[in-house]
Amino acid sequence: MSCNPSFGGIGKGHLVREVDALDGLCGRVCDRSGVHYKVLNRCKGPAVWGLRAQIDRRRYKENVRKEILNTPLLTVHEASVEDLLLTEPEPDHPGKCQVTGVVLGDGSTVHAGSVILTTGTFLRGMVLIGLEMHPAGRLGDQPAIGLAQTLEKLGFAVGRLKTGTPPRLAKDTIDFSGLEERAADNPPVPFSFLSEAVWIKPEDQLSCYLTRTTLKAQQIIHDNLHLNNHVRETTRGPRYCPSLESKVLRFPNREHQVWLEPEGLESNVIYPQGMSMTLPPELQEQVIKSIPGLEKAKMLQPGYGVQYDFLDPRQLTASLESRLVQRLFFAGQINGTTGYEEAAAQGVIAGINACLRVHGKPPFIVSRTEGYVGVLIDDLTTLGTSEPYRMFTSRVEFRMSLRPDNADARLTHRGFEEAGCVSQQRYEQAVKMRAALEDGIATLKSLQFSISKWSQLIPEVPISSSRRSPVSAFDILQYPEANMEVLARAVPEPLGKLAQWRELAERLKIEAAYEWCVVSQQHEIEEVRRDEALRLPEDLDYFAIDASLSAEVREKLDSNRPQTIGAVSRIPGITPAAIVNLLRFVKTNHQKTEKLKTLPQTGKYLPGKMYLEKATSQRQVSAEFSEEEPESAFVKTPL
């Protein structure tokens, strides 16, 4: 954990849950390493709750290392990667060459059927403090220079981003007495579906504290901007986690929040969230001492900025495989994202697909309708990014369906059956929960009484008299005042058993609350899935196809290389008319292809054969079209 010792948050907590549903590590390791668990956004519905935890940095590192080193059939080799081993490309896949392994810093090689690059901030990384700059991926670690040069020579479009980290403070030099204390949740909510509870007792959790910057801090920053290269650089930094200097410049004359977060149970280090700085160390100390509670605080390590290379993620497919180099996958900050959770989500998908690629199996794709990780990857590979990308609930169209509570129902079964990445234990637990939910919902819907009867049974729930009778227990559960415990007291048989299983009771309540939203969204979800099923050839020549498209649209399509009609609709500047015309071309050529397959192969000239070879790729359009559905059913405006 190079920066903040925390996991989760709004939008990010969904990603951790989805990584866990695919049997990724970070969720269950967080449940064994956290010191402060909190569900954010509680004032809103469960669909947008953000699970978050402060993590004991040392404990997390030890637990992850133990998990990795004890993983069967996994060999761990610690070394720097300086170059790639390349060979001729496979004829049936796009790409100018194929990766076959890596070259290490000592000149030795490691051969592989697939390679995943997760370079973080190390790709030509440069650390900045004040006016000083020196090559590093993070303070004290060397950058990856050779690998960056190799990727550039291969023709990858390379950009430059920046991020920063705050100074670290000594806990025993901070006066917490006048600060706002924020206690952890009791009971704490685990990240992992496999965890019944977290490792720490609720009363042993550590608190976080809130303080704020002052006008004096603002003045120190303003007076010394000439001593700060990082802020003056044109490289784009994180919009949603900006440096203190950026906040002061963009929002002057304001108090800015600073969260004082513990780095561990036995650690004396405090991480001041919201105070990322790159001023010279002596000026950072002046800013720190101008903040309430920190007047006597000792700075253990100065804050610093990092600038690094990233690759345009539009050069990747939805499986996170490169279009330029076959079998080469990318995940994390190299794709322009920021945050552990975004990196973990990409890492799981890239890892699954790298394995499937070796075995010659179809890629494992999570669509926008199936998960936050699908939205994340689709945004990156379709739209690209010009600043560090952060996941938010607002980026997701179907938030009511893609909730933290049902990530296992959405992804675990697919992970087990299609990717083979889910353990038997997790799969059986997910199957058990799915069956229990279905039975529970059926039981609740079958239990029906009149409104007057329900009012007698549960007077504390204000049931609307305008509802039609009879009313089911599932309908009653939709009221905020109702839960499974209330219903079980009113109707012990058969609801008592459902209320005893706490997790099931909570999920039944959420299912009831969102039923009407999920049902109303289902039609939209099916439309999007239908669009995503209309696949475009990887090497389609948009400048040659016989479709009514403007030169501007052809250029956008050629640079973005969308894989589906759904992805086309999300490219900025692509008009609804252009989508219709491209859709017509795809459908017409699919029908021609199907007709050609039914004709005898005599070797003679077949109408349309030369045109098809010129305008489409050798890999034919693999979309299924329903003859019963009118063409207008496929027409969509951009999301």
Side-chain angles (χ1 to χ4, degrees), residues 225-382:
L225 286 175
H226 62 288
L227 299 176
N228 193 329
N229 264 336
H230 195 59
V231 171
R232 290 192 294 167
E233 288 284 345
T234 57
T235 306
R236 295 294 292 272
R239 178 189 299 265
Y240 302 105
C241 184
S243 66
L244 183 57
E245 295 99 327
S246 297
K247 287 190 283 191
V248 164
L249 290 173
R250 287 165 57 186
F251 308 106
N253 303 318
R254 291 190 192 179
E255 293 181 341
H256 298 283
Q257 290 186 343
V258 177
W259 288 97
L260 303 179
E261 301 173 341
E263 293 216 353
L265 277 180
E266 300 171 3
S267 173
N268 189 43
V269 181
I270 289 292
Y271 180 97
Q273 172 80 281
M275 207 163 70
S276 172
M277 287 189 290
T278 52
L279 286 166
E282 62 276 10
L283 293 173
Q284 291 190 35
E285 288 186 319
Q286 290 183 31
V287 171
I288 290 167
K289 293 184 185 302
S290 71
I291 295 173
L294 307 183
E295 293 89 351
K296 298 181 180 179
K298 179 183 177 183
M299 184 173 73
L300 301 175
Q301 173 190 298
Y304 61 90
V306 184
Q307 296 182 6
Y308 57 96
D309 284 353
F310 82 105
L311 306 185
D312 188 337
R314 290 175 295 182
Q315 299 166 108
L316 306 177
T317 67
S319 69
L320 296 180
E321 182 179 5
S322 157
R323 289 195 176 99
L324 287 177
V325 180
Q326 297 169 358
R327 298 174 178 265
L328 181 62
F329 295 77
F330 298 104
Q333 284 174 287
I334 193 171
N335 291 336
T337 59
T338 178
Y340 306 137
E341 303 82 3
E342 289 84 352
Q346 294 171 72
V348 166
I349 299 300
I352 290 170
N353 283 308
C355 182
L356 293 174
R357 186 77 163 83
V358 170
H359 291 286
K361 295 181 179 179
F364 181 81
I365 307 297
V366 179
S367 78
R368 299 185 75 91
T369 65
E370 292 178 293
Y372 274 56
V373 62
V375 174
L376 165 69
I377 292 173
D378 184 68
D379 280 352
L380 292 172
T381 58
T382 302

Side-chain angles (χ1 to χ4, degrees), residues 27-41:
R28 58 183 186 269
V29 173
C30 283
D31 291 343
R32 299 201 300 267
S33 312
V35 295
H36 175 109
Y37 295 87
K38 192 86 173 174
V39 177
L40 308 181
N41 241 10

Side-chain angles (χ1 to χ4, degrees), residues 154-166:
L154 285 168
F156 285 98
V158 180
R160 196 85 171 151
L161 293 175
K162 68 181 179 182
T163 187
T165 191

